[in-house]
């Protein structure tokens, strides 16, 4: 008993000196009802700050509480967890060691201390803590803790690599996004115009995709990361009629690199990307430019997300469309329910300044979607979006009114998670594009189903 009192005194002194001469709370150590109530309210406030993800503020408050009540285990435990959340590994370790000195048979304390050691990049110390935990709980095996440490090591490694490979089959009712007929009326021209090959073409097909995301933390407890991604997608269509339109096969690729600043309450990601979309190595669209994301967590369950990007595009067979394209949007994301379901909705501005004014436009897109976590490993993700684009010229030389498109998309994604790595995916999407030009009016039903492997 005397030993842990000395440890508490030494610990409080070290923390006091390391945190600076901050003011103590307005209550002393005596246990009058008013002061006890004030202390309880301060502990509740610190716990709330920690739950909301504001570990630094929680740490400061727990520090002040510790100086007044160094024997309070609730304060010591809160301080240990807040210090870990604030990347103060050594202070967290000291707090846990004080608690373990008082409660040497509390297995959960050794488990939490092992996590802090892993965050501090000290696997040997983590292994020692988990060995003690195993001897106390009598259930966990060395293999279990070894797997847990491996998982933590991957999670807390400064180099993070994640990805997904997916493949499957598809049905597309309108692969070329064409109108109902090759004959249509354009503008005020008195007779129907026939445009060979314009009519919608349905097809079955197959797809293959791969995503790779990389992140490298500049140093162990730094909020700064170097980030990048590489993505590729291939699609092949079975309908031979699409060969005449040079769209029986298509490829898309992307690569980016940038920086990310990540804290317990915010994320800022800025990267420079290059993309190319190609049809049968015959015609392609390339884009290059910056994109950015800023996320702020109002609470752990309520996030505000600001996103935007701008790029220069080059069209290999339609130079008039070359120019600068951009967008910027604001989104709200909510997590709710015991299973942590997700809802996200937002609005974004769209704009383009093409070399030929007729292809320039302004517009907006409103979108909303859910992710429901269902029993037996299923997830359901219904979504809807509405886009309106106002062009600065007519769609064809036969039309006098500026082109205007309204596009509605409704769909859902059903995922079945076989295990942590493998999943089955079934996706449906309906698109209706209503335009002032009959050439750009179309309906499309797209169904894809396949398997995905994540790593």
């Amino acid at each position: 008993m005397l030993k842990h009192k000395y440890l508490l005194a030494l610990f409080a002194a070290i923390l006091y000196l390391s945190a600076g001469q901050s003011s103590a709370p307005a209550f002393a150590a005596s246990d009058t009802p008013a002061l006890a109530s004030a202390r309880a309210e301060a502990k509740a406030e610190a716990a709330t700050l920690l739950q909301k993800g504001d570990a630094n503020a929680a740490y400061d408050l727990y520090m002040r509480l510790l100086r007044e009540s160094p024997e309070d285990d609730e304060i010591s435990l809160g301080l240990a967890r807040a210090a870990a959340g604030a990347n103060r590994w050594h202070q967290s370790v000291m707090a846990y060691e004080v608690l373990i000195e008082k409660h040497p048979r509390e297995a959960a304390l050794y488990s939490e201390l092992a996590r802090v050691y892993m965050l501090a990049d000290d696997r040997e110390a983590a292994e020692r803590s988990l060995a003690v935990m195993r001897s106390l709980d009598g259930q966990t095996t060395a293999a279990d803790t070894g797997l847990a440490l491996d998982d933590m090591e991957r999670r807390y490694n400064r180099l993070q690599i994640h990805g997904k490979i997916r493949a499957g089959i598809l049905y597309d009712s309108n692969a070329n996004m064409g109108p109902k007929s090759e004959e249509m009326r354009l503008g005020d021209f008195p007779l129907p115009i026939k445009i060979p090959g314009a009519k919608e073409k349905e097809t079955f097909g197959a797809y293959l995709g791969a995503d790779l995301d990389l992140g490298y933390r500049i140093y162990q407890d730094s909020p700064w990361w170097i980030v990048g991604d590489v993505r590729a997608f291939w699609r092949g269509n079975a309908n031979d009629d699409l060969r005449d339109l040079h769209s029986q096969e298509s490829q898309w690729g992307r690569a980016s690199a940038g920086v990310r600043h990540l804290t317990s309450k915010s994320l800022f990601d800025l990267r420079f990307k290059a993309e190319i979309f190609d049809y049968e190595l015959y015609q392609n669209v390339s884009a290059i430019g910056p994109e950015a994301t800023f996320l702020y967590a109002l609470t752990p369950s309520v996030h505000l997300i600001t996103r935007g990007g701008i790029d220069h595009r080059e069209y290999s067979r339609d130079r008039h469309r070359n120019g600068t394209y951009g967008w910027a949007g604001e989104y709200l994301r909510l997590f709710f329910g015991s299973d942590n379901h997700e809802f996200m909705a937002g609005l974004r501005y769209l704009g383009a300044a093409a070399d030929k004014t007729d292809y320039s436009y302004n517009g907006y897109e409103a979108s909303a979607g859910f992710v429901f976590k269902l029993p037996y490993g299923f997830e359901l993700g219904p979504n809807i979006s509405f886009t309106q684009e106002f062009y600065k010229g007519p769609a064809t030389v036969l039309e006098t009114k500026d082109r205007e498109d309204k596009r509605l998309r409704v769909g859902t994604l059903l995922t079945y998670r076989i295990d942590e790595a493998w999943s089955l995916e079934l996706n449906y999407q309906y698109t209706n594009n209503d335009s002032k030009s009959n050439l750009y009016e179309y309906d499309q039903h797209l169904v894809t189903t396949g398997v995905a492997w994540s790593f």
Side-chain angles (χ1 to χ4, degrees):
M1 185 69 179
L2 186 62
K3 181 180 178 182
H4 85 249
K5 285 186 176 181
Y6 282 127
L7 276 172
L8 282 168
L10 177 61
F11 175 53
I14 292 173
L15 288 177
Y16 181 80
L17 291 172
S18 65
Q21 304 283 336
S22 57
S23 59
F27 48 82
S30 57
D31 266 339
T32 66
L35 295 178
S37 175
R39 189 179 301 110
E41 290 175 0
K43 287 197 293 185
E45 181 184 352
T48 300
L49 288 169
L50 185 57
Q51 184 180 19
K52 287 182 176 180
D54 195 350
N56 285 297
Y59 175 83
D60 290 340
L61 185 50
Y62 276 124
M63 272 293 304
R64 295 196 293 270
L65 285 164
L66 180 70
R67 295 184 193 115
E68 296 298 327
S69 304
E71 292 281 352
D72 191 318
D73 291 345
E74 183 182 356
I75 292 173
S76 296
L77 182 60
L79 179 64
R81 291 170 175 172
N87 298 340
R88 299 171 183 260
W89 320 130
H90 299 300
Q91 289 92 329
S92 181
V93 167
M94 285 192 290
Y96 277 117
E97 287 180 344
V98 166
L99 286 166
I100 287 171
E101 177 69 21
K102 294 175 67 176
H103 308 283
R105 302 195 61 78
E106 190 64 46
L109 292 175
Y110 294 94
S111 177
E112 291 191 28
L113 177 58
R115 174 181 171 273
V116 177
Y117 277 130
M118 289 299 291
L119 285 167
D121 200 22
D122 191 345
R123 177 164 179 147
E124 290 185 5
E127 289 175 341
R128 290 194 296 270
S129 293
L130 290 181
V132 177
M133 184 202 75
R134 289 198 306 271
S135 69
L136 293 173
D137 71 9
Q139 297 177 350
T140 307
T141 66
D144 292 334
T145 55
L147 290 173
L149 287 173
D150 290 341
D151 181 64
M152 281 192 286
E153 192 167 39
R154 286 192 297 269
R155 194 183 314 161
Y156 304 138
N157 198 318
R158 288 170 61 191
L159 176 63
Q160 295 288 318
I161 301 175
H162 303 285
K164 178 182 286 189
I165 297 174
R166 57 197 184 279
I169 58 176
L170 63 88
Y171 167 76
D172 192 337
S173 70
N174 190 351
N176 59 322
M177 294 178 286
K180 296 291 185 183
S181 172
E182 291 183 348
E183 291 189 355
M184 65 195 76
R185 290 188 179 275
L186 297 176
D188 298 326
F189 195 74
L191 299 175
I193 302 295
K194 184 175 182 178
I195 303 178
K199 182 181 176 181
E200 62 185 13
K201 293 176 173 32
E202 68 174 350
T203 186
F204 288 92
Y207 67 89
L208 177 65
D211 302 336
L212 182 66
D213 291 286
L214 303 99
Y216 182 76
R217 202 169 196 165
I218 296 177
Y219 52 88
Q220 186 62 35
D221 58 351
S222 172
W224 287 100
W225 293 73
I226 298 172
V227 294
D229 66 80
V230 180
R231 307 184 190 279
F233 187 82
W234 169 87
R235 168 174 164 168
N237 299 312
N239 189 341
D240 288 337
D241 291 343
L242 292 167
R243 186 177 301 166
D244 297 332
L245 302 177
H246 302 284
S247 59
Q248 191 171 26
E249 183 181 339
S250 62
Q251 307 86 29
W252 172 80
R254 164 195 162 103
S256 80
V259 295
R260 176 182 297 161
H261 185 272
L262 180 64
T263 70
S264 60
K265 297 199 68 172
S266 67
L267 175 150
F268 175 70
D269 188 292
L270 175 65
R271 59 184 72 190
F272 193 81
K273 59 102 183 226
E275 294 183 67
I276 186 166
F277 191 92
D278 179 86
Y279 288 103
E280 297 186 353
L281 304 179
Y282 172 78
Q283 54 186 340
N284 62 70
V285 182
S286 60
I288 189 168
E291 59 185 22
T293 299
F294 177 72
L295 180 150
Y296 182 75
L298 298 174
T299 73
S301 301
V302 182
H303 299 171
L304 289 178
I305 304 172
T306 304
R307 299 186 63 199
I310 188 169
D311 53 63
H312 177 76
R313 297 184 190 174
E314 294 277 348
Y315 290 74
S316 65
R317 292 188 173 271
D318 194 351
R319 298 294 182 182
H320 295 309
R321 295 180 184 269
N322 295 352
T324 302
Y325 293 73
W327 64 277
E330 186 69 26
Y331 301 86
L332 173 68
R333 183 168 68 185
L334 305 175
F335 296 94
F336 62 95
S338 58
D339 293 320
N340 218 26
H341 307 299
E342 181 179 342
F343 169 74
M344 186 167 174
L347 182 68
R348 67 171 179 164
Y349 164 80
L350 310 169
D355 288 352
K356 185 177 181 180
T357 305
D358 289 352
Y359 294 120
S360 300
Y361 63 83
N362 294 300
Y364 68 91
E365 178 188 82
S367 61
F370 287 90
V371 177
F372 295 108
K373 310 293 179 62
L374 305 178
Y376 307 110
F378 285 95
E379 289 185 3
L380 182 66
N383 57 83
I384 185 172
S385 68
F386 179 78
T387 306
Q388 192 163 13
E389 296 167 342
F390 304 91
Y391 287 79
K392 298 181 180 180
T396 68
V397 294
L398 298 177
E399 296 169 281
T400 57
K401 294 181 180 179
D402 290 351
R403 178 184 168 188
E404 180 182 328
D405 286 13
K406 298 177 182 178
R407 185 164 51 257
L408 173 68
R409 284 197 175 103
V410 181
T412 188
L413 172 64
L414 179 64
T415 303
Y416 172 63
R417 299 195 178 279
I418 301 171
D419 55 30
E420 290 185 0
W422 292 94
S423 60
L424 300 176
E425 299 175 334
L426 174 63
N427 185 56
Y428 168 75
Q429 181 177 276
Y430 168 71
T431 303
N432 172 262
N433 199 78
D434 183 26
S435 177
K436 283 188 176 180
S437 173
N438 290 340
L439 181 62
Y440 292 99
E441 289 187 342
Y442 67 88
D443 286 302
Q444 181 188 44
H445 299 269
L446 177 64
V447 181
T448 64
T449 182
V451 62
W453 175 61
S454 302
F455 60 92

